[in-house]
Amino acid sequence: MNDLPMGWEWSSLGEIGKYINGRGFKKTEWRESGRPIIRIQNLTGTSDAFNYFQGEADERHIVRDGDLLVSWAATLGVFVWRGPEAVLNQHIFKVVSYVDPRFHRHLLEHVLGDLQRQTHGSGMVHITKKRFDATPIPVPPLNEQERIVAAIEEHLSVLDRASLTTSAVAARLPRLLDATTRRLIHGHGPSGEAEFSQDPGHPLPEGWSWKRLSDLGEMGRGKSKHRPRNDPILYGGPYPFIQTGDVAAAQGVLKEYRKTYSEAGLAQSRLWPAGTVLITIAANIADSAILGLDACFPDSVVGLIPDVTGVRAEWVEYFLRVEQERLERFAPATAQKNINLRTLRAVVVPVPPLVEQDRILDELDTWSTTVSALSKSLARTKRRAAKARRSIVASAFSGRLVQQDPSDEQASELLKHIRAEKPVKKRQSKTKVSS
Amino acid sequence: MVSDSKALVDKLWNYCNILRDDGLSYGDYLEQLTYLLFLKMAEEQRQLGLDRIVPEDLDWPSLLELKGEALEAHYITILNELGRNGDMLGVVFRKAQNRIQDPAKLERLIKDLIDGQEWMTLGADVKGDAYEGLLEKNAADTKSGAGQYFTPRALISAMVEVMRPSPDMRICDPACGTGGFFLAAYEYIVGHHPHLDPDQKKHLRSGAFTGWEIVDNTARLCAMNLLLHGIESPDSDSPIYVDDALRADPGERFDMVLTNPPFGKKSSVTIVNAEGKAERQSMTVVRDDFWASTSNKQLNFLQHVKTLLKVEGSAAIVVPDNVLFEGGAGETIRRRLLHECDVHTLLRLPTGIFYAQGVKANVLFFDRKPGSDTPWTKELWIYDLRTNMHFTLKTNPLSRSDLDDFVDCYQADDRSKREESERFKRFMYEELVAKDKASLDIFWLRDESLEDVDNLPPPGVIAAEIVEDLEAALAEFSELAESLADVGGTGAD
């Protein structure tokens, strides 16, 4: 055991509080009204739906607003019950605290966090009452407990807010990229200097024109004539075989695939060249990617081999990406959604001169690189914030977050009181946590 | 002879640009202008037959007789001598220094620019507005950094409008800066009470306003600002204390407090310890009249404002978001405030309206009440002027009309007539205290730029919001880093 700060004492979870397990309610006892039965999923937020209990409940199993609860199976967690009088299901402890209840709450969060990490990877976490009670904990003097709670809450509230703000940025970044791409592809770029001329949809800058997707190059559905499609003789050869899922997973250029065609597979299909724009028309509608290698694909994917004198594959692919939602709306809402080739061929694309395409594609590249770098640093920030949180709490429980005051009554006195009074069991009212 | 305030600002401002070539900042220039204008006005007052304020050998005419290095030396003597008074003279000249390096330019400033104008005969609004115009320009000058604490005048005006100061009140700003709240309150009172009796007039000109300002330079700008607007006279006792307002309860109580305390949260000082190492000490303010001891300056200002109020006195205070959500001392203070005062209105301000970056702020309106066992706050009305609002200092600044709807909703005549609207919602006391940490950081409007799928805002708007969020997050993380700087040990893993 480490050295403790002045005035502190080692104790155990079992000594500073009593942990009363909930009752095992049977499904046959569930009702539509009455006292809500608190189950773990109600605490963790995975479910808002309560079952209710109408029978007489033992006082031990009754939970009131402000009571401190600990879930100890599957999910380890500390919760403050906010709600009407309820009854407690098993696998959750109601905490009767013999110390500052808010201190108790933070301490439990800290200790359970450690237990959680120790048992990490072992599947279902399940902590026995015996092990729980025996968990060693440091106890500071009562006055210092108050100061610790105030300091923890002050720091964590600032930290939480900062993390939340960081998450808000993370949520905005993809939208920034979408909005920028959309504007650039549709010709009302940030410069705004282009002269617009009137055309279908919206005006385009001088020198741009609307082109049907089918006018941009050779367009057609993938081929897989042989039936049944899953005939093993078709697979396991040297030719990449792309499916709709591969297109969805690719970000931009598609190089990864899960299946290959054999010679027999190729014979009943077609090998499309690298640089072909892929558009899914079934299952996932209008996902797009650019083939990064020569490959075959089935008729749930449409290929467009762009005429390189008029349009870059990347240009078409960016357009499809920003318009995916609109294209999806063309698909009838049947069980298996799909969009037909004729509809797709008629879609009009704004096309600037090649030089302009290259310039804009460069700009988009810069944007997406910047956004992705920022996303990564935000992710790092979030991980650091999570660490900072644990570190703040750990500092608190090792006596480094607030200063010791020699005039405080020592923790040993507090523990003496607890040991003396514990059998009296009259501390139920102290479970209230004010927060 | 210049008679219009805009022309006067331009004239004064143009001269500043000449001095900038010598490395003089806007703020420095404004300060020198303050000294010289004061001397000139004191002289004009003497010529009108009023008492002499400035000793003969240190007055305006004594400057006009000299040139070159002799002029410079004499100017420095005047600055050194005059700062030793307790009246407005003392506030204007406290720790004054000459910053004009070129005596020829000093001479031109004195003889051409200032001596050529009769200042006392200018209407209070002309010279006052001219000076206020310079202050605002100074605040907008990012290099000077002076705008950090400058409250948008549109906001001040709306706050005063709903607070409705009246002629007999004593009004206080414990962080008065250049006196923006005083001037707005003065204008409101004069504008709404055309028939003031002589006592009221006298009170309004001297005694109605009391302020604290910790920075010498800012305090002198404030004193001059009041003077030029016809509030106080050069020889009156200064109503501006150059001091840290939080140091102690001044004992005085006021009918109304209007204030925007400085942003930047923690109070701390760096001292050198016995081993010769720099050590930071947080300045936790411990005062008997405070509900909680904390080093959070914003929370302390809030407690201080409560102390300054008479029973039934009212306050409007600009507070950053952390005052609304912070745990620990923040929670204690919010609970006490809700219980002991009638906290009736919260205005959530948009971002991008302050010169300090990353600031998300609010205006909290409350009335002090006599002791009671039951909480005084019954309902808090929150007006959200932040969600889906986009202001910037330069291209889309907050204007007074942006606050019209808030002013209407506020129902200053009779707050019981308030009605809920999209941006204005009522929250009952029980709801507030039941929230985690009694947080008042409450939102209900959908953030369109984040959620509306069909209507993607322009990239510029999204990018600006990202910048705001990052600045806010940075400010919050910095805050945390600073307050944890002294916590040693290795921490978790």
Side-chain angles (χ1 to χ4, degrees), chain B residues 91 131-132 135 146 148-151 153 156 172-183 210-226 239-243 245 258-262 301:
Chain B
V91 173
Y131 196 77
E132 177 79 3
L135 290 178
Q148 200 183 346
Y149 307 139
F150 194 85
T151 314
R153 293 314 192 223
I156 289 186
C172 172
D173 182 348
C176 65
T178 57
F181 279 106
F182 294 146
L183 297 182
T210 308
W212 276 262
E213 171 51 51
I214 197 167
V215 181
D216 280 320
N217 283 347
T218 313
R220 77 173 108 252
L221 298 178
C222 179
M224 194 50 132
N225 207 8
L226 294 180
I240 308 303
Y241 299 102
V242 187
D243 196 0
L258 298 164
T259 191
N260 176 12
F301 260 105

Side-chain angles (χ1 to χ4, degrees), chain B residues 228-277:
Chain B
L228 289 169
H229 279 88
I231 308 167
E232 306 295 334
S233 63
D235 56 340
S236 67
D237 286 343
S238 172
I240 308 303
Y241 299 102
V242 187
D243 196 0
D244 177 1
L246 294 176
R247 193 194 310 282
D249 174 4
E252 291 182 78
R253 296 293 178 263
F254 301 88
D255 301 285
M256 186 176 284
V257 175
L258 298 164
T259 191
N260 176 12
F263 301 133
K265 219 178 71 181
K266 293 285 168 180
S267 311
S268 68
V269 286
T270 305
I271 54 160
V272 177
N273 65 16
E275 289 94 54
K277 282 184 188 160

